[in-house]
Amino acid sequence: MYGDEATIRRILTELGDTWAVVGLSGNRSRAAYGVAQVLQRYGKRIVPVHPKAETVHGERGYASLAEIPFDVDVVDVFVNSELAGAVADEAVAKGARAVWFQLGVVDEAAYERTRSAGVDMVMDRCPAIEIPLLG
């Protein structure tokens, strides 16, 4: 298990409400689209990060984390496991307070690097499933 209940709760309730969603585009059939909607419903500001830099759910998109001109609290990662480690490293470099790898996204080395940098991380879980469980 990559992310105990206390870490999940801390990320969802204490670390801030600006979530960069890497892999979020205007494609309604992709999981990122629906998860971002749920995050918004729970008061999170979502920031789409995708090479197309599309505006999604009313929020301006950026082509990369580095292009976001403000701080982000959590980086939610919807890319293949092979690409996710580099995104985690970018999140740490950007100063994110947490990194969240979605269901099916696993990179144990990235998890260790991120945690060693003092950044909270959850892997292979979905915030849209976890946040309603907080009560």
Side-chain angles (χ1 to χ4, degrees):
M1 186 65 66
Y2 302 101
D4 58 84
E5 298 306 314
T7 301
I8 290 169
R9 179 173 290 278
R10 184 170 51 254
I11 291 171
L12 291 171
T13 64
E14 298 174 23
L15 294 187
D17 291 331
T18 302
W19 284 55
V21 183
V22 178
L24 175 58
S25 71
N27 185 342
R28 294 171 183 264
S29 68
R30 302 293 300 207
Y33 191 89
V35 170
Q37 271 185 317
V38 171
L39 290 170
Q40 279 187 320
R41 208 164 37 246
Y42 280 87
K44 307 300 182 192
R45 175 186 182 192
I46 58 108
V47 182
V49 180
H50 188 278
K52 294 180 183 175
E54 296 174 278
T55 296
V56 183
H57 301 312
E59 293 286 350
R60 177 176 182 235
Y62 297 88
S64 69
L65 287 174
E67 292 181 24
I68 300 172
F70 48 85
D71 291 340
V72 295
D73 301 307
V74 181
V75 176
D76 190 6
V77 182
F78 281 92
V79 300
N80 293 332
S81 296
E82 298 78 36
L83 304 173
V87 176
D89 295 340
E90 290 173 37
V92 170
K94 176 127 183 85
R97 300 172 76 193
V99 175
W100 191 300
F101 280 11
Q102 280 294 327
L103 289 171
V105 180
V106 175
D107 181 330
E108 293 180 9
Y111 183 84
E112 293 304 322
R113 285 194 311 275
T114 303
R115 299 285 294 160
S116 293
V119 176
D120 278 340
M121 185 164 177
V122 171
M123 188 162 64
D124 196 25
R125 303 285 285 265
C126 180
I129 293 170
E130 303 295 336
I131 201 166
L133 302 176
L134 296 177

